[in-house]
Amino acid sequence: TLEGPLAKPESKKLLKPRSTPAKSSFMISGRRSYIDVLAKPFLPDNLAGSQFYFYDLTAKANYSYKRDNIFISTYIGDDVFKAAGLFGVKWGNSTVTTRWNHVFNKRLFSNFTYLLNDPLNGDQFQQVEDRRFYGADLNWTLPADATTWTFGVQARGDLIDDIALRNTRAREVLSTVRSDDVDQHSAGLYATAEHRLNEWLRVRPGVRADAFHFDVTSDTPANSGDESAAILSPKFGVMLGPWSGTEVYANAGLGFHSNDARGATITTDP
């Protein structure tokens, strides 16, 4: 998967010197199976030109200007199964979609308790953030006899400026409860091996390793800092069947859930 920024053109309002930058990004992702390449040395001469594989290509782009967002995506894919000189089948599809969104207000206002905490101004508050992120997701599947191996790596980074909570009245800011800049980066490696023991029993052991790094810059200096953590998560699955088109399975494993990077560095309740 490939992600990245496109050019950032600017447009100036008439009679005003301030410019408003546009934001755009793209993503390209492609897959192809290579069982035909791996099997080629083992095919008899009369099947030397055989092809059996699939591929697909996905591309997405978006463009944001002020409160308008345009999204365009396309998908192309084919499945090819040809035995040289005997038969051949090829099928696939392609799609193109376009979507336009208009954001009426980028600020989120809420009030769950009305006048409970502040009888004079009310309990309305505002939540804002400016987030940029990047990521990658790669995986490989290797069939071998009765065992299919899968390996993968995933990564993501979030760059968040001014993630803030503010007290408001009639959508006007009264005070800031807290305001932070957060950089959060994570990476994960995983591997699974699905093994068929017989016609009705398969097992799938696996393991995943994750690492996180948080860097928080807060308007309250005591809540600033950086932290790193890692965890190893083993997993195991059993699959029985199919019988009459039905499988029975059971999965067990360890995992984790990460809520908020600011919780890793906070020492003073704002």
Side-chain angles (χ1 to χ4, degrees), residues 35-66:
I35 186 65
D36 57 329
V37 177
L38 297 175
K40 189 174 181 180
F42 307 101
L43 295 176
D45 293 339
N46 63 326
L47 296 178
S50 298
Q51 295 178 307
F52 28 93
Y53 65 89
F54 80 87
Y55 76 90
D56 56 35
L57 177 67
T58 302
K60 298 180 181 180
N62 68 76
Y63 181 83
S64 301
Y65 181 73
K66 297 181 181 179

Side-chain angles (χ1 to χ4, degrees), residues 4-13 18-26 62-70 106 130 132:
L6 297 176
K8 296 184 177 180
E10 294 186 348
S11 175
K12 295 185 178 180
K13 296 180 179 179
R18 185 178 62 182
S19 63
T20 303
K23 297 181 180 179
S24 53
S25 64
F26 70 92
N62 68 76
Y63 181 83
S64 301
Y65 181 73
K66 297 181 181 179
R67 296 185 179 182
D68 294 290
N69 303 280
I70 298 175
K106 291 186 177 182
D130 183 9
R132 293 164 292 157

Side-chain angles (χ1 to χ4, degrees), residues 125-264:
F125 59 90
Q126 176 197 41
Q127 296 167 275
V128 296
E129 72 169 50
D130 183 9
R131 180 188 298 256
R132 293 164 292 157
F133 65 90
Y134 63 89
D137 187 350
L138 303 172
N139 63 79
W140 298 266
T141 300
L142 304 175
D145 297 329
T147 304
T148 299
W149 296 87
T150 301
F151 304 93
V153 57
Q154 296 174 322
R156 172 165 173 152
D158 291 79
L159 310 176
I160 312 171
D161 297 327
D162 189 29
I163 177 171
L165 175 64
R166 300 185 174 100
N167 293 317
T168 59
R169 178 180 180 179
R171 298 195 174 188
E172 296 294 330
V173 175
L174 299 176
S175 61
T176 298
V177 177
R178 70 177 299 170
S179 178
D180 309 274
D181 294 336
V182 177
D183 290 348
Q184 176 176 302
H185 306 276
S186 63
L189 300 172
Y190 63 89
T192 64
E194 183 172 315
H195 182 69
R196 178 175 290 278
L197 297 174
N198 53 45
E199 293 183 354
W200 53 268
L201 177 60
R202 290 173 292 149
V203 295
R204 183 164 52 197
V207 65
R208 180 182 176 96
D210 288 277
F212 283 81
H213 179 73
F214 310 105
D215 191 344
V216 179
T217 302
S218 177
D219 60 348
T220 303
N223 290 335
S224 298
D226 62 274
E227 293 285 347
S228 297
I231 188 171
L232 191 66
S233 305
K235 305 175 188 295
F236 188 80
V238 178
M239 292 143 284
L240 298 92
W243 298 292
S244 301
T246 302
E247 282 190 335
V248 178
Y249 62 90
N251 296 314
L254 299 179
F256 70 96
H257 178 69
S258 177
N259 279 331
D260 194 324
R262 295 172 296 177

Side-chain angles (χ1 to χ4, degrees), residues 81-89:
F81 190 79
K82 295 181 179 179
L86 297 176
F87 64 89
V89 178

